[in-house]
Amino acid sequence: MEKKPIVLSGIRSTGHLHLGNYYGALRNFVEMQNDYDCRYFIADYHSLTTQPDPSVLNPNVRSILAEYLAAGMDPDKCTVYVQSDVPETCEYYTLLNMHAYLGELEKTVSFKDKARKQPNNVNAGLLTYPVLMAADILQHKANFVPVGKDQLQHLEMARNFAQRINHFYKADFMVLPRPYEAKGEPIKIPGLDGSGKMGKSEGNCIYINDDDQTVIKKFKKAVTDMTPTEPNSEMNEPIKNLFYFLKLVSAPEVYDQFLAAWNDCSIRYGDLKMQIATDVLKVTAPIRERYNEIYADADYLNKVREQGAEKARVEVRKNLDELRQYMGFRKF
Ligand code: TRP
């Protein structure tokens, strides 16, 4: 059988899944399952660099895992695991650390950011965050990593470590991971506050788990500070954003109808928002229902975890042993 390229991605274990994640990343993850050897994991070690709180760690990992499964990640098609269930990662990370330089780690944008945001907790894990991420990737010999802009520098560092190690040991066993570029226009979900994108730190998210009333309320509150007074006027950003949503979730006829109403100045924003909210719920409500079932089913979740870790560890063990060999850890 032909070997499929390996795609690997880590998922942050904090925060809930929102429409930005869903359309921006998760839908691609789900699509890729069929064409690649996909390995997805919840990055719970990484979360400790900013939030070492045992009382939230476990429920966070559980809800993220349940959300991704509910949204279509299929453990029979790909490898889904929890990072800390594959402790080989720690050993790989230790070995990589010997080839990572303080200077380059200190210069990482994310490190400088976090150090500024949490000046009382500039821990070594924060500094070596990119090394742990490189371990995640390199231990799988991943070919592709689907990453957003904010993670590109980390991926670049993983490539550098891989290349440096190949060079140092005069070998080419390390695979240099490349960013995975999704086909077509990337979908960027705007916020409903008039400008910018939807994001957790922006505090403007529609969560997949929001109940119907919450979703409707959030759309009702969406900024629309302009009513057209002349036919065919130019839209400002908040209105464009609403139309972007409409195009994404509603039927083409419905979109055309509202566009016509905009163009002849008969548009009613209340109707527009209600339409979008209703169509967003058509996407999110079934996921939410599945999520509730899956979240409650600890046995199922534990089984998925175990099965995922078992699959991942077979591959990772092999690659870790190879690195150990090159570094000189051998039997007498
Ligand atoms: N750092 C990534 C983020 O914050 C999560 C992550 C951890 C990751 N390890 C990874 C992503 C490996 C891709 C590959 O989103």
Side-chain angles (χ1 to χ4, degrees):
M1 207 175 70
E2 200 198 335
K3 247 186 99 194
K4 291 177 178 173
I6 297 170
V7 170
L8 177 108
S9 192
I11 299 156
R12 274 175 230 185
S13 68
T14 50
H16 283 281
L17 188 63
H18 57 72
L19 284 180
N21 308 133
Y22 179 71
Y23 282 104
L26 179 52
R27 283 211 327 182
N28 290 331
F29 285 6
V30 170
E31 246 165 60
M32 282 185 279
Q33 294 179 130
N34 299 315
D35 305 325
Y36 296 92
D37 174 353
C38 292
R39 305 171 189 188
Y40 303 124
F41 66 93
I42 317 247
D44 58 347
Y45 286 140
H46 276 106
S47 73
L48 300 183
T49 59
T50 50
Q51 199 184 30
D53 180 347
S55 69
V56 298
L57 182 69
N58 197 263
N60 276 348
V61 171
R62 182 167 175 168
S63 66
I64 290 279
L65 180 61
E67 280 174 349
Y68 276 71
L69 294 170
M73 202 172 262
D74 181 348
D76 291 325
K77 287 188 183 164
C78 61
T79 305
V80 187
Y81 67 97
V82 176
Q83 189 182 29
S84 61
D85 287 341
V86 180
E88 284 80 1
T89 308
C90 290
E91 186 175 348
Y92 206 100
Y93 158 76
T94 301
L95 299 180
L96 279 190
N97 264 322
M98 313 309 167
H99 289 282
Y101 301 120
L102 180 61
E104 65 188 332
L105 296 175
E106 279 175 336
K107 271 195 302 205
T108 314
V109 174
S110 62
F111 173 70
K112 290 195 289 188
D113 254 19
K114 288 278 163 64
R116 212 176 315 117
K117 281 191 195 140
Q118 51 182 67
N120 298 321
N121 184 20
V122 185
N123 59 72
L126 207 54
L127 180 72
T128 55
Y129 184 112
V131 185
L132 180 56
M133 180 159 159
D136 292 328
I137 299 168
L138 301 177
Q139 69 179 354
H140 281 282
K141 298 200 176 195
N143 302 100
F144 296 106
V145 181
V147 285
K149 267 207 203 97
D150 64 328
Q151 298 297 315
L152 267 180
Q153 187 179 30
H154 294 155
L155 183 57
E156 201 49 48
M157 292 172 82
R159 282 178 69 86
N160 288 342
F161 298 146
Q163 210 157 20
R164 187 178 299 162
I165 287 171
N166 277 341
H167 188 75
F168 189 90
Y169 297 100
K170 298 189 178 54
D172 64 355
F173 65 106
M174 291 292 223
V175 171
L176 273 49
R178 280 182 289 155
Y180 176 86
E181 317 272 357
K183 287 172 217 102
E185 267 296 290
I187 297 178
K188 290 202 191 85
I189 300 294
L192 293 177
D193 35 8
S195 66
K197 63 166 188 148
M198 184 175 288
K200 199 175 74 154
S201 41
E202 283 78 6
N204 59 6
C205 294
I206 294 182
Y207 292 98
I208 298 284
N209 284 329
D210 282 343
D211 60 30
D212 291 14
Q213 285 319 310
T214 307
V215 171
I216 292 169
K217 212 162 67 196
K218 285 180 178 175
F219 273 102
K220 275 192 181 154
K221 281 205 301 210
V223 174
T224 46
D225 55 3
M226 168 197 202
T227 17
T229 47
E230 278 172 44
N232 305 313
S233 343
E234 182 81 28
M235 292 179 191
N236 66 2
E237 201 180 338
I239 308 294
K240 265 195 211 146
N241 287 348
L242 285 177
F243 272 88
Y244 186 91
F245 261 111
L246 189 69
K247 185 147 217 163
L248 192 65
V249 296
S250 304
E253 316 78 85
V254 175
Y255 179 85
D256 292 343
Q257 233 172 343
F258 277 98
L259 189 60
W262 164 269
N263 281 330
D264 67 17
C265 305
S266 68
I267 192 158
R268 295 201 339 223
Y269 289 137
D271 296 347
L272 172 65
K273 291 172 174 181
M274 202 55 206
Q275 181 74 47
I276 304 171
T278 308
D279 291 332
V280 161
L281 283 168
K282 282 191 193 138
V283 177
T284 61
I287 301 178
R288 183 180 71 210
E289 279 158 30
R290 273 198 303 278
Y291 165 78
N292 288 330
E293 275 169 38
I294 294 175
Y295 187 89
D297 193 347
D299 287 344
Y300 172 69
L301 286 169
N302 283 331
K303 214 183 79 203
V304 168
R305 267 178 87 159
E306 268 164 44
Q307 181 190 313
E310 219 170 276
K311 261 203 274 181
R313 290 182 79 179
V314 173
E315 300 281 311
V316 163
R317 189 71 240 172
K318 244 185 358 215
N319 297 333
L320 172 60
D321 282 340
E322 184 183 47
L323 177 60
R324 286 175 52 100
Q325 287 286 320
Y326 275 104
M327 293 185 83
F329 298 102
R330 303 185 191 117
K331 283 221 169 98
F332 298 123

